[in-house]
């Protein structure tokens, strides 16, 4: 099988004097910036001006929670406490859970409604996710399994490089006998798949932003879509964390997140006292 790729990836970074900004760092900043804009504008449109004004504090908590959660999850996953000090090693599911936890604490401390923020956050997270995954592509991280299709990429300077040795030693992916260890292997650009699917999630959630359910319902829909997206892309990712029935750890978490989403959608399907609709009223503004 010919594994030569038509596209060769080169990492992206921006040097400003002694400071180097990686493509991942820039994408994360852009993702959270976009999320803040979407959240503030949607809350304002719905008539919740106080919540819109408080959004920067919530987004900062989301960013901090994401960085802490993503790194701690990676440390637990690898079993390497020293990885806490590495520049890379951020896992989305860990970041997602860290973000939700710290946002919940911040919102409760401000005596505001978590469901109100969460309903809008479903849209914002999907858009931010689509942007953020471009950062993974920019640094050559989280690529896929060997592939020789028309959109295949090689990552000679990836994190780590997509060499035969790394495919076998780090990801447990068998290759043809006699493949040179230093041969750079063509793979699925799964980061781009995730970017595309994240944008589709954003469009779906945007389409339902004027839903007639109780606040929080749209976050449930986001969880369902995010679980489906991650479950699918894991079949193409270069991973070695296989569990029972051939599922990865991320796929098991994806199923759990999707089920939580279904529960939220059912629980918030009808507005009622204590669970208002999404638009402000004189009593709920």
């Amino acid at each position: 099988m010919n594994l030569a790729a038509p596209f060769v990836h080169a990492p992206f970074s921006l040097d400003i004097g002694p400071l180097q900004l990686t493509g991942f760092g820039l994408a994360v900043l852009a993702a959270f910036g976009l999320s803040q804009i979407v959240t503030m504008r949607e809350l304002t449109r719905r008539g919740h001006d106080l919540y819109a004004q408080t959004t920067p504090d919530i987004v900062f908590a989301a960013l901090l929670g994401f960085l802490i959660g993503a790194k701690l999850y990676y440390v637990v996953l690898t079993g390497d406490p020293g990885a806490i000090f590495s520049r890379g090693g951020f896992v989305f599911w860990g970041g997602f859970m860290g973000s939700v936890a710290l946002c919940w604490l911040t919102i409760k401390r401000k005596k505001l409604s978590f469901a109100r923020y969460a309903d809008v956050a479903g849209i914002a997270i999907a858009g931010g996710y689509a942007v953020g995954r471009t950062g993974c592509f920019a640094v050559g991280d989280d690529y896929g399994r060997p592939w020789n299709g028309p959109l295949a990429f090689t990552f000679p300077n990836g994190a780590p490089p997509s060499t035969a040795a790394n495919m076998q030693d780090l990801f447990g992916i068998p290759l043809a006998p006699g493949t040179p260890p230093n041969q750079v292997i063509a793979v699925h650009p799964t980061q781009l798949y995730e970017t595309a699917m994240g944008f589709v999630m954003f469009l779906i959630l945007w389409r339902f932003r004027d839903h007639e359910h109780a606040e929080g319902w749209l976050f449930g829909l986001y969880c369902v879509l995010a679980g489906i997206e991650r479950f699918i892309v894991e079949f193409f990712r270069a991973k070695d964390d296989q569990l029972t029935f051939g599922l990865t750890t991320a796929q098991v978490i994806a199923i759990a997140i999707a089920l939580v989403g279904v529960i939220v959608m059912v629980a918030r399907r009808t507005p009622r006292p204590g669970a208002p609709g999404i638009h402000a009223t004189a009593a709920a503004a």
Side-chain angles (χ1 to χ4, degrees), residues 35-74:
S35 297
Q36 178 169 319
I37 292 171
V38 170
T39 300
M40 291 182 69
R41 291 193 175 185
E42 183 61 12
L43 285 169
T44 299
R45 188 186 71 86
R46 294 180 177 191
H48 302 298
D49 293 337
L50 173 61
Y51 283 75
Q53 295 166 9
T54 315
T55 294
D57 293 341
I58 308 305
V59 171
F60 179 76
L63 175 58
L64 186 61
F66 176 84
L67 295 175
I68 294 173
K71 177 61 73 171
L72 289 178
Y73 186 98
Y74 181 75

Side-chain angles (χ1 to χ4, degrees), residues 26-239:
L26 292 171
V28 168
L29 290 176
F32 278 91
L34 173 65
S35 297
Q36 178 169 319
I37 292 171
V38 170
T39 300
M40 291 182 69
R41 291 193 175 185
E42 183 61 12
L43 285 169
T44 299
R45 188 186 71 86
R46 294 180 177 191
H48 302 298
D49 293 337
L50 173 61
Y51 283 75
Q53 295 166 9
T54 315
T55 294
D57 293 341
I58 308 305
V59 171
F60 179 76
L63 175 58
L64 186 61
F66 176 84
L67 295 175
I68 294 173
K71 177 61 73 171
L72 289 178
Y73 186 98
Y74 181 75
V75 169
V76 171
L77 197 65
T78 60
D80 178 17
I84 194 73
F85 302 108
S86 65
R87 188 168 184 174
F90 292 92
V91 182
F92 175 75
W93 278 143
F96 173 75
M97 290 183 279
S99 259
V100 171
L102 196 53
C103 283
W104 183 83
L105 290 172
T106 303
I107 292 167
K108 289 303 178 184
R109 183 177 61 84
K110 292 179 177 292
K111 296 180 170 54
L112 298 173
S113 168
F114 178 78
R116 181 163 298 164
Y117 275 115
D119 198 81
V120 175
I123 310 170
I125 296 172
Y129 181 82
V131 173
R133 278 300 180 186
T134 65
C136 296
F137 180 76
V139 298
D141 191 13
D142 295 338
Y143 47 75
R145 302 176 68 83
W147 186 50
N148 64 346
L151 296 179
F153 274 79
T154 58
F155 291 86
N157 298 297
S162 60
T163 61
N166 285 334
M167 285 290 165
Q168 294 174 320
D169 298 340
L170 298 181
F171 306 127
I173 297 175
L175 297 174
T179 303
N182 62 346
Q183 179 178 331
V184 181
I185 305 298
V187 298
H188 284 278
T190 46
Q191 316 97 320
L192 300 183
Y193 300 168
E194 291 177 285
T195 294
M197 287 191 283
F199 183 61
V200 171
M201 287 195 296
F202 173 79
L203 293 178
I204 293 172
L205 292 162
W206 187 261
R207 167 65 179 78
F208 286 99
R209 68 191 180 119
D210 273 322
H211 66 84
E212 298 180 354
H213 306 285
E215 290 177 323
W217 179 88
L218 200 60
F219 184 73
L221 178 58
Y222 163 76
C223 289
V224 172
L225 295 174
I228 294 172
E229 180 273 331
R230 189 55 184 270
F231 187 86
I232 292 172
V233 82
E234 282 291 300
F235 287 112
F236 302 95
R237 285 273 299 270
K239 302 285 288 292

